[in-house]
Amino acid sequence: MNAPPSPRPIRALPDQLISQIAAGEVVERPSAVVKELLENALDAGATQITVRLEEGGVKRICITDNGKGIPPDQMPLALARHATSKIASLDDLENVGTLGFRGEALASIASVAVVTLTSRTADAAHAWELEGSHLGTVQPSSGAPGTTVNVQDLYYNTPARRKFLKSEQTEFGHCAEVVRRIALARPDVAFTLSHNGRTVDHWMASDMAKRSAQILGETFAEARLPIDEGSGVLRLHGFAGLPTASKARADCQYFYVNGRFVRDKLLVHAVRAAYEDVLHGDRFPSYVLALDLDPALVDVNVHPSKIEVRFRDGRAVHQFVFHAVQRALAQTSATAHGSVPSPLPAAETLGASGPLWRPQQQASFGSILNPSYTPTFSPSPFARPGEGGVAQSTERYGALFAETDAPAPPSYPMPQATQYVASSAALAHEEFPLGFALAQLHGIYILAQNSKGLVLVDMHAAHERILYEQLKNALDAQISGSEMQIQTLLIPVTFYADVVEVGTVQEHGDTLKTLGFDIAVLSPTTLAVRAVPALLKNADAQTLARDVLRDVREFGGSRVLIERRNELLGTLACHTAVRANRILTQPEMNALLRQMESTERADQCNHGRPTWVQVEISALDKLFLRGQ
């Protein structure tokens, strides 16, 4: 074993060594330099920033801004340790309103690289330059108003640090990601990024919608939901990606607190919880969200890289973010234009020979959807030829829904419908965004037509989401004091049960009743289902009972209603939803479409899979080479 080192006297460290130790926290890699310099540029009021890199930032990092500049007499202080214009007292530190504020970034960078600082204020006749450190001499120079920081040969005097850097492309990738993060936070600022003399990115000043589309791509731009909610001193704004735009990695998640990019476990959990029952498997949502609040309510000084924060009231922030994102996701893209309008008045859906919808044929599927739900048919809100929309006459489209007492032989021509009138409001606002059913494909998919083209619906997935949301609402209403509607079975369903299932019924009877189940113990090996939730009355009672007992047994009576509630209700909805190969009538299919339009989160099933897709006329035209 090595002998312990001989004791040394306590002594003050040299300034250069102190700065190099600080650089170990501040300057982890070239991207950390880029971050610090960009934050300084934004704090200086810059509206145009240019970032030039060479060899991944190791050879050179040069950042130029058009901010307010630094007076020549203050330039040495800019490179000195613990010197800053951003805080002057403890009160300032507790109410930080700037991005950079510690005052050691430039000094730390200058201790491990060759730094040249060039700056000019708006009222100065020319620029001034300082090279090396705060001990250097300020010299006259040339340059436009603003500041340029030129960092060369990073870690030239600390080779041990330099050998830990990755490849040139890897280091450039980290630098480019930092620029993207900051550019997303400040869409009002123009950014230019170049590497080895080649321009990589250039973003003009714009707004969050355009900037996020430029950086995250058109896929995100076409599948995002805007958020802008406030509550007291809290405001959340930005965009949350639809579940269908999720990714296999969490590399498209940007959260900002008072303009600062953060990775905060509390905020990530709040957003993840909001996506809980609309995200498929282990997928990760995409989002660009910004939280604004009083700086006194958040501590940004808990980590050297300032990427973590601590909230004074973390629970309130978590709940606010969770509910804001959850409300945005509750709006389906089919009804994103607003709330679902009421059906057209009966007078507008009648032809000269009577209604196209036959009430006596509604019961079979409508009652499954909701005991009080009565579907209403309305002719398609499509424009006539020459009026925009689909170039198809409403008479021919309405003929698809004309019904006779018996199915027509295959050789029959398509029956002609009587002319009817569609309201101007329906034509203008597309009151039925999912359109109307045309047919059923392989007993799995519903084919419908709307003003944009063809709609394909996975009937099981769609019905599963509808039932799931109804079950959640019913359980929430019961917890709030209302009674859950249950269906007492005329003949109780009895089945053989093992001793564990019987014990679960005896131990967790109250939980089962809360969920709408009345299960009785008839013998040590027999259970009887006497009542089920009214929403699930058409499902297999024995299967439902076994599923409920399994989850209650596994997670405990109280936990299953709190932590595992959504999973349990999802299981019940899945077992109850209409199955594949179930032949639906046209009224049943339309009833499902209408219910989807009035159900939150109807774009995805409980497992995060899409319930419907839109195929636009233009896409069909391309398939058939029309107009080419």
Side-chain angles (χ1 to χ4, degrees):
M1 296 179 61
N2 294 330
S6 57
R8 294 180 179 178
I10 298 174
R11 58 188 175 185
L13 296 175
D15 282 350
Q16 176 72 3
L17 183 56
I18 292 174
S19 295
Q20 289 178 337
I21 293 173
E25 293 184 345
V26 179
V27 191
E28 300 174 90
R29 60 196 326 160
S31 60
V33 176
V34 174
K35 174 182 178 294
E36 295 289 346
L37 298 183
L38 284 178
E39 289 179 346
N40 284 343
L42 292 174
D43 286 339
T47 59
Q48 295 180 0
I49 300 176
T50 300
V51 181
R52 293 186 291 271
L53 306 174
E54 293 181 19
E55 296 183 9
V58 177
K59 182 178 181 181
R60 184 181 185 226
I61 299 171
C62 184
I63 295 183
T64 301
D65 67 64
N66 67 341
K68 60 186 179 182
I70 306 172
D73 60 321
Q74 296 181 23
M75 290 177 68
L77 282 173
L79 293 179
R81 288 188 300 112
H82 306 311
T84 179
S85 63
K86 300 168 186 179
I87 58 173
S89 66
L90 181 61
D91 184 64
D92 292 338
L93 190 61
E94 293 177 349
N95 293 271
V96 173
T98 56
L99 297 175
F101 56 86
R102 286 185 169 166
E104 77 273 16
L106 281 173
S108 299
I109 295 168
S111 70
V112 293
V114 178
V115 173
T116 302
L117 180 64
T118 306
S119 192
R120 176 183 174 184
T121 57
D123 57 353
H126 57 81
W128 295 85
E129 181 178 291
L130 175 62
E131 182 177 344
S133 71
H134 66 289
L135 301 177
T137 303
V138 179
Q139 302 286 343
S141 183
S142 61
T147 301
T148 297
V149 182
N150 191 21
V151 181
Q152 292 183 294
D153 296 327
L154 191 61
Y155 302 129
Y156 78 98
N157 57 356
T158 52
R161 294 284 306 279
R162 188 162 186 162
K163 69 182 182 182
F164 281 99
L165 296 178
K166 304 300 182 182
S167 67
E168 177 180 323
Q169 279 304 115
T170 298
E171 294 301 338
F172 170 70
H174 286 292
C175 293
E177 177 62 17
V178 166
V179 177
R180 283 192 291 266
R181 290 174 185 171
I182 293 178
L184 274 172
R186 293 296 302 273
D188 58 316
V189 177
F191 289 84
T192 300
L193 171 64
S194 65
H195 186 223
N196 294 336
R198 183 177 65 88
T199 299
V200 177
D201 287 309
H202 176 67
W203 304 299
M204 298 294 291
S206 59
D207 55 26
M208 177 61 80
K210 188 173 182 180
R211 180 65 59 83
S212 61
Q214 291 171 330
I215 294 179
L216 274 67
E218 289 301 319
T219 301
F220 177 79
E222 294 172 359
R224 64 185 180 186
L225 298 166
I227 296 178
D228 194 344
E229 287 204 24
S231 177
V233 297
L234 301 176
R235 180 192 173 214
L236 183 71
H237 56 99
F239 296 95
L242 289 170
T244 49
S246 62
K247 304 186 71 176
R249 297 189 302 164
D251 59 353
C252 200
Q253 298 180 349
Y254 298 88
F255 210 116
Y256 301 87
V257 175
N258 289 345
R260 184 190 309 277
F261 174 81
V262 299
R263 284 199 189 99
D264 184 80
K265 293 181 180 179
L266 180 142
L267 297 174
V268 170
H269 182 273
V271 177
R272 182 74 187 186
Y275 277 89
E276 184 180 39
D277 60 356
V278 295
L279 206 60
H280 180 53
D282 295 326
R283 305 285 292 178
F284 294 91
S286 302
Y287 52 81
V288 180
L289 297 171
L291 177 66
D292 297 335
L293 72 164
D294 186 341
L297 300 179
V298 57
D299 183 2
V300 298
N301 197 29
V302 297
H303 192 276
S305 66
K306 295 174 289 189
I307 205 168
E308 298 177 9
V309 295
R310 183 183 296 116
F311 297 101
R312 182 166 296 179
D313 189 349
R315 180 176 176 81
V317 171
H318 181 282
Q319 289 300 98
F320 170 71
V321 172
F322 166 72
H323 288 296
V325 177
Q326 188 184 53
R327 278 190 289 270
L329 295 173
Q331 299 298 316
T332 69
S333 55
T335 58
H337 59 276
S339 59
V340 180
S342 58
L344 293 177
E348 299 181 7
T349 64
L350 300 180
S353 61
L356 296 175
W357 181 272
R358 297 180 182 271
Q360 65 270 22
Q361 296 179 344
Q362 298 173 8
S364 57
F365 194 67
S367 59
I368 295 177
L369 293 172
N370 189 322
S372 62
Y373 178 71
T374 303
T376 304
F377 171 75
S378 171
S380 167
F382 295 157
R384 294 181 174 83
E387 296 180 352
V390 178
Q392 177 179 346
S393 69
T394 53
E395 290 83 1
R396 291 197 175 190
Y397 183 50
L400 294 170
F401 308 104
E403 300 182 15
T404 58
D405 292 333
S411 58
Y412 264 35
M414 181 181 291
Q416 297 300 309
T418 305
Q419 184 175 3
Y420 56 82
V421 178
S423 72
S424 58
L427 293 173
H429 298 103
E430 299 181 0
E431 293 187 0
F432 302 98
L434 292 181
F436 293 90
L438 303 174
Q440 191 177 11
L441 181 65
H442 288 288
I444 300 174
Y445 301 104
I446 295 173
L447 278 62
Q449 179 177 340
N450 65 359
S451 61
K452 295 180 180 179
L454 178 66
V455 173
L456 297 171
V457 177
D458 182 330
M459 67 181 195
H460 172 76
H463 192 205
E464 184 179 4
R465 167 58 72 176
I466 291 167
L467 285 172
Y468 177 51
E469 292 298 328
Q470 291 176 346
L471 285 168
K472 285 200 299 184
N473 292 337
L475 189 55
D476 288 341
Q478 185 178 22
I479 294 174
S480 301
S482 303
E483 291 187 3
M484 175 181 283
Q485 302 234 341
I486 64 171
Q487 176 67 52
T488 302
L489 303 182
L490 183 62
I491 301 176
V493 175
T494 60
F495 60 94
Y496 172 82
D498 58 35
V499 64
V500 177
E501 290 175 324
V502 172
T504 302
V505 171
Q506 294 172 331
E507 184 179 354
H508 300 292
D510 291 340
T511 298
L512 294 172
K513 287 183 179 179
T514 301
L515 292 169
F517 289 87
D518 181 2
I519 304 176
V521 178
L522 298 186
S523 76
T525 58
T526 307
L527 294 177
V529 183
R530 299 189 298 200
V532 297
L535 292 167
L536 310 180
K537 64 181 181 181
N538 294 315
D540 184 293
Q542 179 180 335
T543 302
L544 284 179
R546 289 189 182 279
D547 286 335
V548 170
L549 293 175
R550 183 190 64 242
D551 283 354
V552 170
R553 179 178 69 250
E554 183 175 353
F555 303 111
S558 58
R559 286 190 60 203
V560 78
L561 290 178
I562 301 173
E563 300 175 21
R564 311 290 299 191
R565 185 194 78 155
N566 289 351
E567 293 182 29
L568 172 61
L569 298 183
T571 300
L572 298 179
C574 184
H575 281 297
T576 312
V578 60
R579 293 294 181 183
N581 299 319
R582 157 79 186 276
I583 303 302
L584 303 181
T585 65
Q586 214 157 20
E588 289 174 331
M589 290 187 283
N590 280 308
L592 180 62
L593 297 178
R594 300 292 77 78
Q595 194 76 358
M596 289 175 65
E597 291 168 347
S598 61
T599 299
E600 293 182 343
R601 307 173 187 85
D603 288 348
Q604 294 83 30
C605 74
N606 316 341
H607 314 294
R609 292 188 294 268
T611 58
W612 67 280
V613 295
Q614 174 81 59
V615 183
E616 297 188 2
I617 286 293
S618 58
L620 295 173
D621 288 343
K622 289 180 181 179
L623 287 175
F624 293 96
L625 305 180
R626 289 180 62 86
Q628 300 183 20

